[in-house]
């Protein structure tokens, strides 16, 4: 990819913002058109970091992705991999998500060792910043770091759903409530 001027294959517009802001456009919010200009969302903390308007410890930078140390890393080496273009999550723009994942994979390969690669879509899935970001979390045996669905302990959290036929949304809500309750018990909050 180059920093060549944007020329949309569909509408022939030179401005990528026109393409991505038009819901009738086939690439609307899909990130399928490369453009050197950055789409930033005002007030987004990751867009502010990319723009140099907020502080961050940069681990690695590419033309389209940046890797930083999070404000509160859960373990040493915890890294966030973030596209420089604002997309809400990994399902909002396949091309941007794929490029970001590619950079996360390269970085993980260089970091070596066991690790989790974690990303979320939606508040119910623990997403707290609505700009795609991938967590690379180095792991060690018995490190005590719990994932939402497995704490590394023998005690498991059970979920009960009332009624004979459980709606998938209600099951998801029940699981979310159980996970939050387990976290509160573990952290004492």
């Amino acid at each position: 990819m180059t920093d060549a001027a944007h020329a949309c294959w569909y509408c022939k517009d030179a401005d990528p913002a026109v393409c991505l802001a038009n819901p009738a456009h086939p690439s609307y919010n899909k990130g399928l058109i490369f453009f050197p200009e950055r789409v930033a969302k005002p007030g987004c903390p990751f867009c502010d970091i990319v723009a140099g308007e907020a502080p961050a410890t940069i681990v690695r930078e590419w033309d389209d992705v940046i890797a930083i140390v999070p404000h509160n890393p859960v373990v040493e080496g915890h890294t966030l991999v973030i596209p420089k273009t604002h997309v809400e999550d990994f399902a909002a723009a396949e091309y941007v998500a794929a490029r970001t994942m590619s950079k996360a994979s390269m970085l993980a390969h260089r970091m070596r060792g066991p690790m989790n690669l974690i990303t979320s879509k939606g508040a119910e899935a623990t997403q707290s910043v609505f700009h795609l970001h991938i967590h690379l979390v180095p792991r060690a045996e018995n490190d005590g770091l719990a994932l939402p669905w497995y704490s590394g302990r023998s005690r498991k959290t059970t979920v009960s759903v009332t009624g004979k036929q459980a709606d998938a949304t209600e099951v998801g809500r029940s699981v979310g409530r159980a996970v939050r309750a387990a976290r509160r018990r573990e952290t004492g909050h």
Side-chain angles (χ1 to χ4, degrees):
M1 297 205 169
T2 67
D3 287 343
H6 171 82
C8 177
W9 60 271
Y10 178 77
C11 64
K12 309 296 185 224
D13 200 293
D15 183 0
V18 171
C19 301
L20 297 177
N22 177 2
H25 193 282
S27 293
Y28 170 70
N29 202 26
K30 296 293 184 192
L32 298 175
I33 302 169
F34 173 76
F35 50 95
E37 303 87 357
R38 305 290 175 225
V39 173
K41 183 175 181 181
C44 171
F46 292 152
C47 288
D48 290 346
I49 289 170
V50 167
E53 297 170 0
T57 302
I58 298 172
V59 173
R60 179 81 195 268
E61 186 169 3
W62 296 269
D63 63 337
D64 55 348
V65 175
I66 191 168
I68 65 170
V69 175
H71 287 299
N72 296 306
V74 295
V75 295
E76 187 175 334
H78 181 185
T79 304
L80 296 179
V81 183
I82 305 163
K84 290 183 177 180
T85 292
H86 183 87
V87 296
E88 197 164 290
D89 55 53
F90 62 86
E94 297 92 347
Y95 180 78
V96 174
R99 300 255 322 161
T100 305
M101 177 61 82
S102 172
K103 302 309 189 300
S105 177
M106 283 192 265
L107 194 56
H109 178 74
R110 289 190 176 140
M111 293 168 74
R112 303 193 185 264
M115 73 177 58
N116 290 117
L117 180 145
I118 304 167
T119 189
S120 302
K121 178 183 182 295
E124 300 82 359
T126 72
Q127 185 178 10
S128 58
V129 178
F130 291 87
H131 181 126
L132 170 62
H133 57 289
I134 297 172
H135 294 261
L136 295 177
V137 184
R139 300 301 301 267
E141 189 172 353
N142 297 317
D143 62 11
L145 185 60
L147 291 175
W149 55 89
Y150 176 68
S151 69
R153 300 180 189 179
S154 60
R155 186 183 85 218
K156 292 184 179 179
T157 302
T158 58
V159 177
S160 62
V161 179
T162 58
K164 291 183 180 181
Q165 288 187 321
D167 176 291
T169 303
E170 185 52 39
V171 171
R173 288 185 186 129
S174 295
V175 169
R177 285 190 296 270
V179 167
R180 286 188 293 279
R183 283 186 184 152
R184 283 192 296 274
R185 285 193 302 275
E186 286 179 7
T187 63
H189 291 107

